[in-house]
Amino acid sequence: MITFYLNGQPHEISQLNPNTTVLEYLRLHARQMDTKEGCGSGDCGACTVMAQRLSTSAETPVDSAPFYTLNACITLLSLMDNHHIMTAAYLADNPENHPERALLHPAQQAMVDCHGSQCGFCTPGFIMSLASVYENKRMQDTNTDELSVNELSYDEIVASIAGNLCRCTGYRPIIEAGLSMQKIAQKRAEDQVSAKDLAVTLATDAMATSKSNDASANTNDNKQTIAPALIEGTRQLFIPQSTDELDQLLAFYPKATIWAGGTDLGLSVTQNLIDHDVIIQLAAIESLKSWSVVDADSQSNSATTQVAAQTLIFGAGMSYKGMLPALEQYFPEFADLFERIASPQIRNMGTIGGNVANASPIGDLPPILLALDASIHIRHCDVNNDEVDNSDQLFVDETLPLSEFFLDYKKTKLRAGSYVVAIHIPLMQDNQHLFIHKISKRFEDDISACLVAVRLDLSADSTTIDDVKIGLGGMAAVPLLVENCQQALIGQPFTIASFEQAAKALPLDVSPMTDVRASREYRLHVVQRLLIKCGKQLIKGAQTEGA
């Protein structure tokens, strides 16, 4: 059974097609028509809803920024287990559903005042994105009567609506509306008009109790004791609470569809109309959603070639949003790219393990991870007797360099019953430098035509290139390291001429395709110029430090 709130009302569901998306449930089951269906692929943002993650115990700390947005069209409803889903109709303080007496949310009132809506189809999605950034800012302010002290900036407003497309109104009045929200709230505070509290603060211990009772139920088959959260006919969805339960399920259902954020897999439901028979959802496994920094010698299975004092380990279930604080601390160049990866709605749901396991040649994370000499920890749960030490062992762990993980287009070292446990990234040393460049038609919310990530290791006197890793995306059937380019740089003097010579070796490594995003010739030329640009950036940085 899954339990959630929708616009303040509790819902408990057990009999439902596991492939049901949030949007499908809202429009066809709950008859909540204010959430619109646009592209059905997580690109346009018309279906954007706001969610609040609920705690299942009183001991759980309250999140200072509890609201986030997601694309309802590609998000499975089961991912909203223990959540509060909010649509545009819920934002207004609307006593007894009388529109003439409604007090609009500041995001709604600002859109009216600034003429931010024309045809109106995209408006509910924009409203939810603006409301989310507004509410989180309000929650973070210690004194809600002085909202102007921490005003939302132009950049914050633009970033919040990066995943919402408008085809007729234009973005200027929508951005103006975002910048006006706090002024509206401040005026209301001065007039002593109370604001509606959107957060669900109801006791959620009942949720935990029902989950415990539900999880202990038995299935028809006595070989495994984990009950499905959703079931309809032969279709089942499981929500394991630990890796032990996940291992048990995958040993029993090795061909099950493993679902993390589903930001790409969701399209198999909406675009390819696939009904997955058995889905195993990873969202409740907390151990897959944490990160840590460990000493390199404490990794018994480390397969990285990079000598590093410490290694950053991301659980495979870490979302882009969840990864950002760690990347800002240890890999700021990596973190700087995040505003260009997809949209806030996608970054809130998408995971590092899903992006890597998806093996898309245009995925944004794998080329960077390759350049950083990352390794991947995978677990095989459908094992043969010759792979284990005893017959009771359910799984075999394997850690290997990420460069060995990708085999061919959409093919990896994963097999039936396997999943990604974690990604290991050696921390950079003082002589190492990282550069990342993404080429796409739009600044944000767009797929790469090509992506270049370069990690350069200089000698102690900064005159020679000791080592280099160059990861490319969008240039072949898989994300890859370009060996000939790398070898052309290693041992060479730290000069622009060395980078120009190495760029000439690129055609020996890749032969990119021509598609709607870019031609083969364009991709080759751009990547060659970007390699030279990385050299110029590093030389300029070295000159600045030496000045």
Side-chain angles (χ1 to χ4, degrees), residues 203-474:
T204 52
D205 289 339
M207 284 188 179
T209 301
S210 65
K211 288 292 186 304
S212 176
N213 293 336
D214 191 48
S216 63
N218 226 320
T219 59
N220 293 330
D221 197 312
N222 58 14
K223 292 184 179 180
Q224 68 93 10
T225 59
I226 303 169
L230 290 177
I231 186 168
E232 184 185 74
T234 60
R235 293 184 288 269
Q236 303 177 84
L237 181 141
F238 296 90
I239 307 179
Q241 304 296 305
S242 65
T243 52
D244 288 342
E245 290 187 359
L246 175 60
D247 298 341
Q248 180 184 344
L249 285 167
L250 283 175
F252 194 73
Y253 300 106
K255 295 184 179 180
T257 301
I258 300 176
W259 204 288
T263 53
D264 188 74
L265 193 55
L267 275 69
S268 67
V269 175
T270 63
Q271 305 297 310
N272 299 328
L273 306 181
I274 294 175
D275 250 4
H276 300 278
D277 288 330
V278 179
I279 298 174
I280 300 177
Q281 181 178 297
L282 308 183
I285 304 177
E286 293 299 325
S287 62
L288 295 181
K289 297 189 292 182
S290 62
W291 64 273
S292 61
V293 174
V294 301
D295 293 335
D297 59 6
S298 69
Q299 299 178 76
S300 59
N301 293 320
S302 177
T304 60
T305 58
Q306 175 64 40
V307 177
Q310 292 182 308
T311 298
L312 174 63
I313 301 178
F314 280 124
M318 287 286 292
S319 68
Y320 290 81
K321 180 183 178 182
M323 292 165 53
L324 191 56
L327 292 178
E328 288 174 336
Q329 181 176 353
Y330 296 104
F331 298 96
E333 300 86 358
F334 197 166
D336 288 343
L337 180 72
F338 266 46
E339 64 178 344
R340 300 205 55 205
I341 296 178
S343 65
Q345 294 93 320
I346 296 296
R347 294 194 296 271
N348 288 334
M349 300 301 295
T351 65
I352 182 173
N355 191 256
V356 172
N358 188 40
S360 170
I362 50 177
D364 287 323
L365 300 189
I368 306 169
L369 296 172
L370 286 168
L372 291 172
D373 214 11
S375 60
I376 184 170
H377 174 192
I378 57 181
R379 178 168 293 177
H380 307 290
C381 297
D382 186 24
V383 295
N384 301 318
N385 290 333
D386 58 350
E387 295 181 290
V388 296
D389 297 330
N390 61 75
S391 58
D392 295 329
Q393 187 174 342
L394 291 176
F395 60 84
V396 171
D397 281 348
E398 180 181 8
T399 302
L400 66 156
L402 188 61
S403 57
E404 298 177 10
F405 177 71
F406 303 106
L407 303 178
D408 202 345
Y409 178 72
K410 291 283 190 174
K411 293 183 179 179
T412 69
K413 285 292 185 79
L414 293 174
R415 65 196 195 202
S418 301
Y419 67 95
V420 180
V421 178
I423 303 295
H424 298 218
I425 312 173
L427 297 188
M428 292 174 60
Q429 306 301 296
D430 291 340
N431 69 319
Q432 296 179 322
H433 308 270
L434 179 65
F435 301 93
I436 304 169
H437 295 286
K438 174 177 176 175
I439 302 298
S440 59
K441 294 183 181 297
R442 299 180 74 231
F443 181 80
E444 70 273 286
D445 197 18
D446 200 4
I447 295 171
S448 300
C450 54
L451 190 146
V452 181
V454 180
R455 195 210 73 211
L456 288 159
D457 302 5
L458 298 182
S459 60
D461 59 2
S462 297
T463 61
T464 306
I465 301 169
D466 278 353
D467 195 13
V468 63
K469 294 289 184 182
I470 304 172
L472 299 184

